[in-house]
């Protein structure tokens, strides 16, 4: 820590998310003390997060903890923490591919990785799962340059491209060992290409898949069905009891309407994502390529190449996803890559509140 009252912090946008980035050495080593501090920093629990950095939504209540890596395949370790908005909870049960776009530049800014004279590639170990990624971005003159002409849906304006390549993970692409499962009469495909995800045909749940996130969140019957499906899918995917976690993600899929390959509505796990997470999109892109899966008849895939354009509520996300057949006859990931952007918003000292965190509904 920089002192008894403040903590060094960089607020960054990564992809379509926003989060607070910290060096691990600037936070308490004890996880419980660290999480209590982060709740105070972000202003949780409070629906508005009025007393902290959080933006009153899961997509803007995120934290990256970065440190040098002891893994010879990585330069840095990246621990992602999801800080709940209206509950005193901090979860490390998932990755975040959007904030991932910010941690490479952050590592260069903090001196963990030397900058190249033109471009810099940062090898990243994602502590939450042990997976790896390589983020490459411009550093002309040895400084991170956030300006550029790359445009991503859900973010106004343009910025420098952050190219992220994911080597194949060690776990199975299809965690259940099947291209298709059935849960409570609903056909699903369970896939993990960086994020445990359940693909569900929207019409199987009585919706079109083109509704706005607000419309879907207001559907109490749908919410209960999704809850039941997620709990059952978690067991099928070997994740155990997922009632207290944010994975697996549930993604409703429908045929594309705007020239893409597939339309999506993703739940995280109760709120409907206003776009789609990078790692979730990587799993969707791989999942709709699985022959016999629930997306096979819905997706309109390109005749050649690995590019899959995934439509979401605020635009689209392009994922390069290629599959091949593994020794057991099931598909495995051959290549996954994506272009994101990132921006440094604020660099300085954040001051956590000093009063104890109160549970939701408590006096404020």
């Amino acid at each position: 820590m920089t002192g008894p009252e403040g903590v060094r912090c960089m607020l960054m946008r990564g992809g379509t998310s926003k989060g607070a980035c910290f060096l691990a050495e600037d936070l308490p080593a004890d996880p419980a003390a660290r999480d209590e501090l982060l709740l105070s920093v972000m202003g949780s629990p409070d629906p508005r997060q009025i007393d902290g950095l959080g933006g009153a939504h899961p997509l803007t209540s995120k934290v990256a903890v970065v440190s040098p890596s002891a893994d010879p395949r990585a330069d840095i370790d990246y621990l992602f923490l999801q800080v709940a908005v209206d509950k005193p909870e901090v979860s490390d049960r998932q990755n975040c591919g959007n904030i991932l776009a910010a941690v490479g530049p952050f590592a260069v800014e903090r001196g963990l990785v030397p900058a190249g004279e033109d471009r810099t590639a940062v090898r990243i170990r994602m502590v939450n799962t042990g997976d790896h990624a390589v983020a490459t971005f411009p550093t002309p003159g040895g400084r991170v340059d956030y300006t550029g002409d790359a445009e991503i849906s859900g973010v106004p304006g343009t910025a420098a491209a952050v190219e992220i390549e994911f080597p194949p993970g060690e776990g199975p692409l299809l965690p259940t060992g099947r291209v298709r499962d059935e849960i409570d009469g609903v056909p699903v495909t369970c896939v993990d290409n960086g994020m445990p995800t359940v693909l569900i045909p929207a019409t199987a749940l009585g919706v079109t898949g083109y509704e706005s996130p607000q419309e879907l969140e207001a559907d109490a019957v749908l919410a209960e069905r999704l809850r039941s499906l997620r709990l059952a899918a978690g067991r099928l995917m070997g994740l155990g009891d997922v009632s207290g976690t944010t994975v697996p993600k549930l993604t409703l899929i429908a045929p594309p309407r705007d020239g893409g390959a597939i339309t999506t509505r993703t739940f995280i796990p109760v709120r409907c994502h206003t776009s789609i997470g990078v790692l979730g999109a990587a799993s969707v892109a791989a999942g709709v390529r699985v022959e016999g899966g629930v997306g096979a008849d819905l997706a309109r895939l390109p005749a050649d190449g690995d590019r899959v354009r995934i439509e979401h509520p605020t635009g689209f996300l392009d994922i390069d996803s290629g599959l091949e057949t593994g020794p057991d006859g099931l598909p495995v990931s051959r290549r996954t890559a994506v272009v994101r952007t990132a921006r440094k918003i604020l660099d300085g000292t954040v001051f956590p509140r000093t009063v104890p965190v109160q549970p939701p509904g408590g006096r404020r």
Side-chain angles (χ1 to χ4, degrees):
M1 290 189 185
T2 58
E5 296 182 351
V7 184
R8 184 166 56 156
C9 172
M10 185 178 291
L11 187 66
M12 299 191 74
R13 176 186 62 77
T16 54
S17 293
K18 185 166 60 177
C21 298
F22 299 91
L23 291 178
E25 66 186 43
D26 290 330
L27 295 174
D30 175 65
R34 177 201 67 200
D35 291 353
E36 182 177 359
L37 174 66
L38 294 177
L39 286 165
S40 294
V41 164
M42 301 306 285
S44 298
D46 175 63
R48 295 185 299 160
Q49 291 182 315
I50 195 66
D51 205 26
L53 293 180
H57 193 282
L59 299 183
T60 54
S61 187
K62 299 185 174 188
V63 167
V65 182
V66 180
S67 59
S69 182
D71 187 331
R73 298 171 295 173
D75 300 309
I76 61 170
D77 284 349
Y78 154 49
L79 173 66
F80 171 70
L81 297 172
Q82 179 69 62
V83 180
V85 174
D86 57 358
K87 296 183 291 186
E89 294 179 0
V90 180
S91 173
D92 64 358
R93 292 289 298 273
Q94 68 171 79
N95 281 330
C96 178
N98 274 302
I99 294 298
L100 174 64
V103 300
F106 172 75
V108 172
E109 295 266 14
R110 285 288 187 259
L112 299 186
V113 178
E117 283 301 310
D118 182 44
R119 294 177 65 77
T120 301
V122 178
R123 302 175 302 159
I124 303 165
R125 183 175 78 98
M126 295 176 278
V127 176
N128 304 73
T129 61
D131 293 328
H132 291 75
V134 178
T136 305
F137 46 91
T139 52
R143 296 175 62 88
V144 180
D145 185 0
Y146 297 97
T147 63
D149 58 6
E151 183 177 1
I152 62 174
S153 296
V155 177
T158 63
V162 179
E163 300 169 5
I164 305 175
E165 182 114 14
F166 301 94
E170 297 180 0
L173 179 68
L174 302 175
T176 70
R178 296 175 292 274
V179 301
R180 184 185 290 244
D181 290 280
E182 187 171 296
I183 302 175
D184 297 333
V186 177
V188 303
T189 291
C190 299
V191 59
D192 186 352
N193 191 32
M195 177 70 69
T197 303
V198 184
L199 303 187
I200 308 168
T203 55
L205 294 180
V207 294
T208 66
Y210 307 116
E211 293 88 352
S212 70
Q214 294 78 14
E215 290 174 306
L216 293 172
E217 288 180 3
D219 189 334
V221 174
L222 176 65
E224 178 55 32
R225 293 205 70 188
L226 290 173
R227 186 195 70 83
S228 177
L229 283 168
R230 200 175 75 86
L231 293 177
R235 293 189 292 270
L236 280 178
M237 298 174 77
L239 300 173
D241 180 7
V242 298
S243 57
T245 73
T246 59
V247 292
K249 305 299 186 192
L250 304 183
T251 297
L252 306 186
I253 56 175
R257 294 204 301 186
D258 296 307
I262 196 76
T263 293
T264 61
R265 296 293 186 269
T266 299
F267 291 81
I268 52 173
V270 178
R271 301 292 299 271
C272 184
H273 207 307
T274 54
S275 56
I276 189 170
V278 170
L279 295 171
S283 289
V284 171
V288 298
R289 286 192 177 276
V290 173
E291 294 185 12
V294 298
D297 295 331
L298 300 177
R300 297 172 187 164
L301 298 172
D304 53 22
D306 292 339
R307 182 65 50 87
V308 177
R309 174 160 289 187
I310 297 174
E311 299 176 4
H312 56 69
T314 51
F316 64 86
L317 189 152
D318 286 335
I319 291 277
D320 286 351
S321 178
L323 304 184
E324 59 188 15
T325 302
D328 58 1
L330 291 174
V332 296
S333 177
R334 172 176 52 79
R335 178 175 183 268
T336 304
V338 65
V339 171
R340 295 275 83 188
T341 66
R343 192 173 78 84
K344 177 172 65 173
I345 298 173
L346 179 149
D347 187 9
T349 302
V350 62
F351 295 89
R353 60 181 167 215
T354 57
V355 297
V357 174
Q358 297 186 29
R363 183 178 177 183
R364 295 184 174 88

